Amino acid sequence: MQNVQNQPGAIHSTQSQDNSGIGRDELQAIGELLVRIRQGMEHERDHVNDYEVCVGFLDMAAEQKLDSPEGRTVATGLLEKIKEKCGGVPGLVSLIASTLSAVSALS
């Protein structure tokens, strides 16, 4: 919910705002980044160390509930492992770093 404001001149009205929780848009954006990582890994398959392992890590990261601290922690750890294995692929490394930043911003 965005910021709310009472109507001018309202009498005996109340307002509330709930900024808790993670928006669906943020989760969808991270999901799209994970898809782009998969596409990048497939494209650069010959340069990704342990391609099959990285795909497995990526699948596990995508399965995490990012609306919980535990899920974010696991997803972050998996993405860090993928980043290590893709060190020689600049486009992938920056995409993974962007995804890590997006996951961190959820907390």
Side-chain angles (χ1 to χ4, degrees):
M1 180 169 157
Q2 300 296 322
N3 290 333
V4 295
Q5 180 177 352
N6 279 337
Q7 187 171 354
I11 300 174
H12 301 292
S13 66
T14 61
Q15 70 180 22
S16 63
Q17 180 175 335
D18 181 5
N19 287 333
S20 64
I22 296 170
R24 196 170 83 162
D25 292 342
E26 289 89 353
L27 295 175
Q28 183 177 353
I30 291 171
E32 291 169 3
L33 287 170
L34 293 172
V35 168
R36 289 180 54 203
I37 291 170
R38 178 180 289 281
Q39 292 169 341
M41 284 188 345
E42 178 64 31
H43 187 264
E44 297 290 341
R45 186 180 194 142
D46 295 337
H47 299 101
V48 175
N49 296 331
D50 298 324
Y51 173 80
E52 295 298 327
V53 171
C54 287
V55 169
F57 287 162
L58 188 61
D59 288 343
M60 290 189 324
E63 293 172 359
Q64 299 306 308
K65 304 263 186 219
L66 298 179
D67 55 354
S68 76
E70 296 82 14
R72 288 189 297 273
T73 300
V74 171
T76 298
L78 291 166
L79 288 167
E80 289 287 353
K81 288 179 182 181
I82 295 168
K83 185 176 162 186
E84 289 171 17
K85 294 187 175 292
C86 297
V89 188
L92 263 179
V93 171
S94 61
L95 187 55
I96 294 166
S98 296
T99 307
L100 283 164
S101 294
V103 171
S104 295
L106 293 176
S107 23

